[in-house]
Amino acid sequence: MDTRVAIIAIVVEDVEQVGKLNGILHDYNKYIIGRMGIPYQKRNVSLISIMVDGPANVISTISGKIGMLNGVSAKAVYSKLTSEESA
């Protein structure tokens, strides 16, 4: 199956959604390469980046489920290389 490398950028404005967000990430943990989160207390938001390697439809699903949470925004940015091109 063709896989892609991507970064999912997440902005959390509602801290009450963090449990649901972590649940989604746990469900797709086999695709996660790494994660970095920074709380920005001055603006009362958290900024999170999730590095993933998986099929494009799975990455889109992860981003979509996260973005459906109230007070949470998500956007995926994909590498142009596919798994076949990097082999």
Side-chain angles (χ1 to χ4, degrees), residues 1-72:
M1 178 176 286
D2 215 16
T3 63
R4 304 280 300 270
V5 173
I7 297 174
I8 302 173
I10 304 167
V11 178
V12 180
E13 297 174 343
D14 182 358
V15 70
E16 298 295 321
Q17 300 297 319
V18 171
K20 292 177 184 177
L21 170 60
N22 284 329
I24 294 168
L25 296 177
H26 176 76
D27 291 344
Y28 292 94
N29 66 6
K30 72 179 186 177
Y31 301 104
I32 296 174
I33 301 167
R35 171 181 178 169
M36 179 180 64
I38 300 174
Y40 185 33
Q41 294 174 347
K42 180 179 177 182
R43 299 292 294 259
N44 200 30
V45 298
S46 292
L47 308 170
I48 304 168
S49 59
I50 309 293
M51 287 59 72
V52 294
D53 185 357
N57 64 324
V58 171
I59 296 169
S60 178
T61 298
I62 298 168
S63 181
K65 286 184 176 187
I66 293 169
M68 289 176 59
L69 297 173
N70 290 329
V72 180

Side-chain angles (χ1 to χ4, degrees), residues 66-83:
I66 293 169
M68 289 176 59
L69 297 173
N70 290 329
V72 180
S73 301
K75 178 76 174 182
V77 179
Y78 295 84
S79 165
K80 293 183 180 185
L81 293 177
T82 63
S83 58

